[in-house]
Amino acid sequence: MGKDAEQIFQKLKEDLSAYVELKVELLKLTAYERTGKLVSVLSYGLILLFLAFFAILFIFLALGFFLGDILDNVAGGFAIVALLYMILFAIIIFNKNKISEAIVNEIISVLTAIEDKKKESDNEQTTDTAGETDF
């Protein structure tokens, strides 16, 4: 009986170590998935940010030329646009904490949305594989 118990404990130890290794692997893969999705969302946001930057840049260039036409002084038109940029810059600096908080909240909401979708798909898979059928 001593050898049987020893074999059982050896098998239990092997199973437990295999379980722990699989659980660690699952945690790593989950972290990779979350990181990948976060990077993709941030990349998408960065692309939108660059497009918005160029749109605003061209709008302000057009505004500078337009104001220069109205004032008959191109330098004056661009000086007004430069003043508008400085005002926007000051607004952004004064609202740094609100902007940072909004970005953090957006990242957290994206991560929780990813987690919620994963939980929903896991729940659907468990109900599908439970063998329940409608008669």
Side-chain angles (χ1 to χ4, degrees):
M1 177 135 170
K3 286 191 176 191
D4 287 341
E6 186 177 313
Q7 288 176 344
I8 291 172
F9 283 120
Q10 185 64 28
K11 179 69 174 150
L12 184 62
K13 180 182 172 186
E14 291 172 6
D15 289 345
L16 186 60
S17 64
Y19 172 76
V20 169
E21 287 176 16
L22 289 173
K23 195 68 169 173
V24 167
E25 186 68 24
L26 177 65
L27 288 173
K28 284 197 302 189
L29 290 174
T30 303
Y32 293 155
E33 178 187 22
R34 282 185 178 178
T35 303
K37 288 185 179 183
L38 180 63
V39 167
S40 70
V41 168
L42 290 177
S43 298
Y44 176 73
L46 191 61
I47 290 169
L48 287 179
L49 186 67
F50 277 128
L51 289 174
F53 168 75
F54 283 115
I56 291 171
L57 177 68
F58 286 120
I59 288 170
F60 277 117
L61 278 172
L63 182 63
F65 284 118
F66 177 72
L67 290 174
D69 252 3
I70 290 176
L71 299 174
D72 283 333
N73 184 358
V74 176
F78 279 100
I80 293 172
V81 170
L83 183 64
L84 288 174
Y85 267 116
M86 286 184 206
I87 291 170
L88 286 174
F89 188 69
I91 289 171
I92 290 171
I93 287 176
F94 288 128
N95 291 314
K96 176 188 170 197
N97 290 335
K98 289 180 184 178
I99 293 170
S100 296
E101 191 175 301
I103 291 171
V104 168
N105 287 339
E106 185 65 29
I107 290 172
I108 289 171
S109 69
V110 165
L111 287 174
T112 54
I114 291 169
E115 189 66 28
D116 290 344
K117 284 183 182 179
K118 185 176 179 184
K119 284 180 183 177
E120 286 176 10
S121 67
D122 287 347
N123 287 339
E124 288 173 5
Q125 288 175 356
T126 56
T127 54
D128 290 345
T129 59
E132 296 175 326
T133 55
D134 293 331
F135 284 97

